[in-house]
Amino acid sequence: DSGVTQTPKHLITATGQRVTLRCSPRSGDLSVYWYQQSLDQGLQFLIQYYNGEERAKGNILERFSAQQFPDLHSELNLSSLELGDSALYFCASSAGTLRNNEQFFGPGTRLTVL
Amino acid sequence: DQQVKQNSPSLSVQEGRISILNCDYTNSMFDYFLWYKKYPAEGPTFLISISSIKDKNEDGRFTVFLNKSAKHLSLHIVPSQPGDSAVYFCAASSALQTGANNLFFGTGTRLTVIP
């Protein structure tokens, strides 16, 4: 158990809909990352927050947005969903933003868009 | 554009033998490299890392080798055990250069250790 929790575990929805994925980081970790893993792909970095502020952005679509709340949990919002958004979405947390701050990953949320 | 590549989707090794997993990268700004291990229905877990100023780092049965000129790194597991069967992801970071410590992942290699 990494200490990072993600809800829900599975989500099935239809094209055009909007969903929210939730992540609670390990106790004390200030940095939260979101990654997307599509079929047979590596994890693709989407976005990082540090202590409530956006820290880095990857190839995140404009239809996607995220935020980190004062209690440090984070939410990833996906809207106008398309079939290609079906993927595993992982959240990770780390103590800080240094390269040797180990990232601990949650179990992921599997999103299926029908 | 895949900046970190793992060209072998799968590898099978006999228990007790050496497992060698390979990874190539294209971005010369990467200065920190990591290996993650992933079991089904779980998130990746950190295994071992290496800074770009080193060419080898060892932790128990796991050793990572870095060849900067070839932009290549490898993970050696010796001796391999059935519990090592998992998907292994190579990852890289350019935090020293960019200030951002997000990771770039390869597509993974599924290791099967045969008892």
Side-chain angles (χ1 to χ4, degrees):
Chain A
D1 183 0
S2 67
V4 178
T5 59
Q6 290 187 249
T7 56
K9 281 191 174 177
H10 302 277
L11 198 47
I12 300 174
T13 188
T15 54
Q17 295 298 304
R18 172 191 164 95
V19 297
T20 297
L21 313 184
R22 182 187 168 102
C23 168
S24 293
R26 287 191 329 149
S27 177
D29 282 356
L30 297 178
S31 202
V32 170
Y33 313 76
W34 287 97
Y35 293 89
Q36 177 195 54
Q37 185 184 19
S38 301
L39 190 63
D40 294 331
Q41 297 293 311
L43 285 75
Q44 302 290 324
F45 169 68
L46 294 178
I47 197 163
Q48 176 191 6
Y49 278 82
Y50 177 74
N51 203 19
E53 301 285 329
E54 183 183 303
R55 177 76 179 187
K57 216 167 186 176
N59 294 328
I60 186 167
L61 299 172
E62 284 192 15
R63 300 183 285 109
F64 295 1
S65 65
Q67 53 185 327
Q68 186 179 29
F69 295 86
D71 67 352
L72 300 177
H73 91 272
S74 178
E75 293 181 356
L76 179 67
N77 301 296
L78 315 176
S79 61
S80 302
L81 285 168
E82 302 176 359
L83 295 178
D85 297 328
S86 295
L88 260 174
Y89 290 84
F90 288 102
C91 168
S93 74
S94 70
T97 59
L98 299 178
R99 65 180 188 173
N100 59 348
N101 287 150
E102 182 180 339
Q103 293 185 29
F104 295 85
F105 283 79
T109 292
R110 182 173 292 281
L111 173 66
T112 302
V113 182
L114 300 175
Chain B
D1 179 29
Q2 194 74 25
Q3 299 183 58
V4 179
K5 299 177 184 178
Q6 294 176 257
N7 293 318
S8 298
S10 62
L11 175 68
S12 290
V13 171
Q14 287 289 135
E15 181 179 2
R17 305 294 289 268
I18 185 171
S19 295
I20 300 176
L21 295 93
N22 293 302
C23 177
D24 297 295
Y25 62 95
T26 57
N27 189 340
S28 56
M29 288 178 66
F30 288 147
D31 50 42
Y32 197 65
F33 303 89
L34 310 91
W35 285 93
Y36 278 78
K37 178 178 177 179
K38 185 183 180 305
Y39 293 116
E42 295 181 11
T45 55
F46 170 75
L47 195 55
I48 192 169
S49 63
I50 186 167
S51 159
S52 58
I53 63 172
K54 295 187 172 183
D55 54 20
K56 176 182 173 181
N57 188 27
E58 195 170 347
D59 183 2
R61 295 186 297 113
F62 302 91
T63 303
V64 56
F65 295 91
L66 175 63
N67 182 334
K68 278 179 58 181
S69 60
K71 292 194 176 70
H72 177 84
L73 63 155
S74 61
L75 175 69
H76 292 208
I77 306 173
V78 56
S80 301
Q81 299 174 353
D84 296 329
S85 296
V87 177
Y88 289 78
F89 289 98
C90 171
S93 162
S94 57
L96 268 188
Q97 309 271 359
T98 65
N101 65 336
N102 56 282
L103 299 175
F104 295 82
F105 281 86
T107 51
T109 297
R110 181 178 302 278
L111 173 66
T112 302
V113 180
I114 303 163

